[in-house]
Amino acid sequence: MSGNSGGIMRSRRALVQAGAAAFAGAMLGMPTLSAAQSKPVKIRYATGGGIGPNEMETVIFLDWMQKNVLQQYGKAYVVDMTYTRGTPEAATLLAADQADMATLSFSVFATLMMKGAIPDGLAIVADNYQDAKPGYAANTFFVLDGSPIQKIEDLRGKRIGVNAYGSAVDLGLRVRLKKSGLDARKDVEIVEIAFPNIGPALREKRIDCGVLVIPFMIGETAKGGLRPLFNGGDAFGTYAPIFQVATRGFIKSQRAAVSAFLADYVRGLQWFYDPANRKQAIALTAGFTKSPPELLDSYFLTNKDYYRDRNACVDAALIQRPVDAMVEQGLIAKPLKITDYLDASLLPGTCAS
């Protein structure tokens, strides 16, 4: 047989083998995948402006976690994470089809849904944390210890720092001001300052009051010289400031990848909360956030931290409450029923209805 004949035979053999594989797949009801289709799905994720432990997704998907804890990373999906200044920026990326999933605040989520800014809409798929749950931490507005500001009404004519207009803490501020008879547009000046810079701005007297969230709140209060004025619970009670969403179009086309992402998120969350892993969890988070390990160890994943559902289940009532407050304060035109947007079926466990 000539060399050319051997090549023909090899080609025929390859075709027969490929045909047999396709036939077997069809008989078994299994899809045949091309090389491109078998690659892990890229999930474009936009954070909400915080870092771990404020937003656990930022530490759960670190390289070490991908290699040692997460079981489906690199197989079913990979993450392309964009770090934003706040949830309004994350919303812009979703609306521009530059993100598939994101961390959003209740205020930005409600506004997006009212405006119909996402063609296929959004689904709330996972919890992030609960603010002002009794016995746990709360996002808090601080003034200097020697400030003459003693009550909310004393903020009239003052400058107040938040991370971004329209964020959860910004809306909490506006609702709390209105409850005390202050108009956020006329009676105070609200300025945007990135979370890490709010504490320094307060100490340098560039603002009179500013919001501190974990992890920045822990470091700043440890320095002393600050006094809490009010917190998010004073505006809404216990509530969910931020949570994870996915576009319904992405869920429809890549449901398995979204489920794999959330399964790994829950696996990672539970790994972080396991006392056996605490030393490594502190080291990972300290390296990423540039926080002293001993400072992290004093609060991270304890009752001095935010409360998180270990299965990432979302309590719709904790989002409904602040969204209803937005309606009452005239911040959105009509009510929004949060249960219509909740999809717990993508999580690996069962959540209470």
Side-chain angles (χ1 to χ4, degrees):
M1 184 178 290
S2 68
N4 187 49
S5 297
I8 292 172
M9 288 299 293
R10 284 192 295 272
S11 298
R12 287 176 177 171
R13 189 178 302 117
L15 286 170
V16 169
Q17 290 171 341
F23 177 75
M27 291 297 290
L28 292 171
M30 298 168 59
T32 57
L33 299 177
S34 67
Q37 289 173 318
S38 63
K39 291 181 181 178
V41 174
K42 181 170 75 172
I43 297 176
R44 300 170 300 169
Y45 195 103
T47 69
I51 55 174
N54 183 291
E55 293 188 39
M56 287 298 292
E57 71 275 12
T58 62
V59 290
I60 285 174
F61 292 96
L62 290 174
D63 288 348
W64 189 91
M65 294 291 292
Q66 295 170 15
K67 296 171 184 175
N68 295 280
V69 178
L70 309 183
Q71 295 183 1
Q72 300 193 62
Y73 194 94
K75 300 171 184 175
Y77 72 96
V78 293
V79 177
D80 180 8
M81 195 165 284
T82 299
Y83 295 87
T84 73
R85 186 176 61 177
T87 56
E89 186 177 326
T92 299
L93 293 174
L94 287 168
D97 193 27
Q98 293 179 23
D100 309 301
M101 297 183 67
T103 297
L104 290 186
S105 66
F106 67 86
S107 52
V108 168
F109 177 82
T111 302
L112 279 178
M113 296 303 94
M114 285 294 177
K115 292 182 176 179
I118 311 295
D120 294 320
L122 294 172
I124 300 169
V125 296
D127 171 73
N128 194 292
Y129 72 84
Q130 296 175 20
D131 190 35
K133 185 178 178 69
Y136 291 84
N139 293 329
T140 304
F141 283 80
F142 285 85
V143 296
L144 290 176
D145 212 7
S147 169
I149 300 170
Q150 299 295 327
K151 56 186 184 299
I152 306 295
E153 291 78 2
D154 295 336
L155 289 171
R156 188 182 301 274
K158 305 301 184 183
R159 287 167 58 89
I160 308 172
V162 300
N163 68 310
Y165 301 136
S167 65
V169 292
D170 177 51
L171 264 293
L173 168 64
R174 292 170 190 270
V175 168
R176 186 64 187 87
L177 289 172
K178 194 163 186 177
K179 285 183 177 181
S180 293
L182 297 181
D183 187 322
R185 294 169 297 177
K186 299 176 182 178
D187 295 328
V188 300
E189 182 183 358
I190 300 174
V191 297
E192 289 184 307
I193 304 174
F195 278 136
N197 300 325
I198 290 178
L202 192 55
R203 295 181 188 280
E204 294 162 12
K205 299 184 179 181
R206 290 185 281 121
I207 56 175
D208 303 289
C209 177
V211 66
L212 292 177
V213 303
I214 288 176
F216 313 108
M217 178 167 56
I218 303 298
E220 290 294 342
T221 54
K223 296 175 186 177
L226 301 181
R227 172 166 48 84
L229 187 64
F230 68 95
N231 63 43
D234 295 324
F236 306 119
T238 302
Y239 72 109
I242 55 175
F243 40 82
Q244 296 182 31
V245 304
T247 66
R248 290 193 183 275
F250 189 68
I251 293 172
K252 184 177 181 181
S253 64
Q254 303 294 349
R255 186 178 183 86
V258 177
S259 292
F261 170 93
L262 292 173
D264 272 352
Y265 178 80
V266 171
R267 182 174 292 109
L269 187 65
Q270 294 179 352
W271 182 91
F272 267 92
Y273 272 98
D274 187 339
N277 303 322
R278 184 162 183 80
K279 185 176 180 180
Q280 184 64 41
I282 294 293
L284 282 173
T285 308
F288 176 70
T289 63
K290 311 302 181 188
S291 299
E294 60 276 9
L295 182 64
L296 271 172
D297 196 36
S298 72
Y299 75 92
F300 185 36
L301 309 177
T302 73
N303 61 357
K304 295 179 181 178
D305 196 354
Y306 300 120
Y307 174 81
R308 300 177 186 87
D309 186 279
R310 305 296 194 275
N311 295 309
C313 293
V314 179
D315 185 340
L318 299 186
I319 303 173
Q320 191 70 60
R321 186 176 300 140
V323 169
D324 288 346
M326 291 177 68
V327 179
E328 292 167 8
Q329 300 297 327
L331 299 171
I332 54 175
K334 57 182 180 180
L336 194 73
K337 188 178 179 182
I338 294 301
T339 52
D340 290 345
Y341 300 92
L342 191 60
D343 188 350
S345 68
L346 292 153
L347 289 168
T350 301
C351 297
S353 57

